[in-house]
Amino acid sequence: TIVLKNPRRRNALSLPMLQSLRRDLLHDVQSRELRVIVIAAEGPVFSSGHDLKELSSEDDVKHHTQVFELCAEVMTLIQKLPVPVIAKVNGLATAAGCQLVASCDIAVASEKSQFATPGVNIGLFCSTPAVALGRSLPRKVALEMLFTGEPLSAHEALMHGLVSKVVPEDKLEEETMKISQKICESSKSVLALGKATFYRQITQDLDTAYKITTKVMVDNLTLRDGQEGIEAFVQKRKPVWSH
């Protein structure tokens, strides 16, 4: 579990916070014991997005570029990791904070959570959050959020596909752990192959997607755990994964 822990600054994704998040995401990533990553936060705000003090005219273009490039790197890294990444959201997620939720593989939110891209209200359109948002939400829903800055409630976010589940606040930890434990019952190598393939095929046309996934299904069968799973099913026993 990675916890965003700067509630006094509304868990802003400052340059040091992004550097720390990147470091933590990569920590022990090749370890067989690492099976799932949960991103949570302290305080009433999951993350308010970029630290606007870093984006003032006092800093030069080079610094601004560094902030946005690192943020993009972290967001894309999440989908490149070999294990599922779950956002556990209990509060407000705005701008790049909303982008972080949209970038995770799964998102579980409490009923009090809200999601917004209010950059337009301060003259800084949420163009980089729009990348993740536009790939998670229907276009017209994403554009309404981006054009107005108005928040989605947790249940609206669920209805439109920004989050996977919405639960009462006192059930958030339990539900997140339930999903995590279910993931841990499967083979890490099989999940890693499946996750990488999902993101590879989702941007392709239908024929290309089927060509990619047909080959991957064959490759999956050559994995040790691919064979173990089928043998265990045929023999009516529980598989013993090598990961």
Side-chain angles (χ1 to χ4, degrees):
T1 300
I2 299 170
V3 182
L4 307 180
K5 199 173 181 179
N6 191 4
R8 288 182 65 187
R9 299 288 302 155
R10 295 162 62 89
N11 294 317
L13 296 178
S14 62
L15 199 57
M17 179 76 94
L18 285 167
Q19 289 165 340
S20 177
L21 183 54
R22 178 178 60 182
R23 191 164 56 246
D24 288 344
L25 284 167
L26 290 170
H27 179 69
D28 276 350
V29 75
Q30 298 303 329
S31 166
R32 195 164 70 171
E33 281 67 44
L34 180 66
R35 310 299 307 286
V36 62
I37 295 171
V38 176
I39 300 178
E42 270 193 9
V45 177
F46 177 79
S47 175
S48 59
H50 290 293
D51 185 342
L52 295 181
K53 287 185 177 179
E54 292 184 338
L55 304 180
S56 70
S57 57
E58 292 174 15
D59 291 305
D60 59 15
V61 170
K62 185 178 178 182
H63 179 80
H64 296 163
T65 301
Q66 184 184 8
V67 170
F68 289 119
E69 284 183 347
L70 179 57
C71 185
E73 182 186 339
V74 168
M75 301 300 168
T76 54
L77 172 63
I78 289 169
Q79 295 180 359
K80 292 174 183 175
L81 293 171
V83 296
V85 180
I86 303 174
K88 184 175 82 170
V89 187
N90 188 30
L92 183 65
T94 62
C98 186
Q99 179 185 2
L100 179 58
V101 176
S103 299
C104 288
D105 304 312
I106 297 170
V108 186
S110 69
E111 290 173 330
K112 75 175 189 181
S113 299
Q114 290 186 302
F115 306 86
T117 48
V120 67
N121 298 329
I122 58 163
L124 182 64
F125 196 87
C126 286
S127 292
T128 45
V131 175
L133 216 62
R135 285 161 170 75
S136 296
L137 292 167
R139 183 177 299 180
K140 288 178 174 60
V141 177
L143 285 171
E144 183 180 347
M145 287 181 71
L146 291 160
F147 290 161
T148 67
E150 288 297 302
L152 288 185
S153 70
H155 287 288
E156 287 172 326
L158 176 65
M159 178 173 68
H160 295 305
L162 180 59
V163 301
S164 321
K165 285 196 174 180
V166 173
V167 296
E169 185 177 2
D170 62 355
K171 299 285 185 186
L172 183 59
E173 174 70 15
E174 178 186 332
E175 187 59 37
T176 306
M177 286 302 103
K178 183 178 170 186
I179 295 169
S180 300
Q181 285 160 3
K182 186 62 182 173
I183 288 169
C184 289
E185 291 175 11
S186 299
S187 160
K188 179 174 182 177
S189 55
V190 170
L191 279 174
L193 178 64
K195 175 176 171 174
T197 305
F198 177 85
Y199 286 114
R200 186 176 158 213
Q201 63 82 26
I202 200 70
T203 57
Q204 305 295 324
D205 64 79
L206 198 62
D207 288 340
T208 305
Y210 271 119
K211 282 177 185 173
I212 290 169
T213 53
T214 296
K215 183 180 184 307
V216 171
M217 293 291 282
V218 174
D219 292 342
N220 195 155
L221 287 171
T222 68
L223 291 178
R224 191 165 151 192
D225 281 349
Q227 286 299 311
E228 168 60 16
I230 290 173
E231 286 174 15
F233 179 81
V234 171
Q235 295 167 11
K236 297 181 179 177
R237 61 175 175 81
K238 197 171 180 179
V240 180
W241 305 124
S242 67
H243 306 294

